[in-house]
Amino acid sequence: MAKLIDYPCKHNEYKGLPIDKFIEAGIEIPASYNIADKLVEMARLEDFHYFPIDPVLEAENLGALIKMDQSPLGPRKDSDIITDITMLKDLPKLNPAKGRYAETLKAVCMLNEEGHNAYFEIRGPFTVLSGLGDIMTVLMGWRKHPEVLEAFFQNLIEGLCDCAMAAREAGAGIIYYSDGPGSLQVLGPKYARKVVESFTVPFLKELDSRLDSESVVYLCPKTAFQLVGCDAAQWKKLDLGETMTYRDACNAAKGKVRFLGQRCFKNDGIEVCSINYLELK
């Protein structure tokens, strides 16, 4: 019988960006956050091959007020623009072709053209909402105005799928999906199940229908464990035929499976000869 449990994340303590290192290299902060080739310089300097560098890119695209300075925290929410759940009705659809989102995708494309196999991360509803307002305000309003949040979910599903497709066009073979503020620990069992039913499953099915067969969607284990715990998905195993690093295993799974996510993608220091994947029910 399926049991709803929370994945114990070891990477939830954000260490920040190496701002001093960027500035010493002549990268102007915060102006460079908005320029694709500068983002690529940051990636080369730190030898990381994924974007975005912060969790507020989607919220900013929807109109959030974002603070950018020389803090190691990077771009982050400045102040709330959503103070009542009904205000969600006025938000636009995500547009990956505008602003910093477009520049970030351009940086992914540039890295991939250099042969770096860069991937792109998209954030789920409660990460987006955290950049727009207070999560508790949303949760309390959900009971009074369920139709508002349902409409927001649908709008976000369409927008995030557009963003994932744009990332794929930029050469990202792996689309990483995370939603830390939407974890079981934060939402509790009742709302975690509602999110799986109302957002996560419809979103993943829509994404599955739109992506080509060579793309892999890597779910943050917190989301993956919620799906299994709600009996919306089941684990299966793919034998790789040889031993390789976990990161290489994820790339080797492209074209064979759609959804991965048993362990954190950031923890790639292990070697495996098989990899577990998710199959939606």
Side-chain angles (χ1 to χ4, degrees), residues 81-91 148:
I81 66 166
I82 298 296
T83 54
D84 183 280
I85 193 172
T86 59
M87 298 171 70
L88 294 175
K89 294 187 294 185
D90 299 324
L91 292 176
V148 174

Side-chain angles (χ1 to χ4, degrees), residues 36-37 40 44 105-116 170:
D37 58 355
V40 171
R44 292 196 195 107
L105 287 169
K106 192 183 299 182
V108 172
C109 185
M110 292 168 69
L111 280 175
N112 282 324
E113 288 176 347
E114 293 177 3
H116 289 297

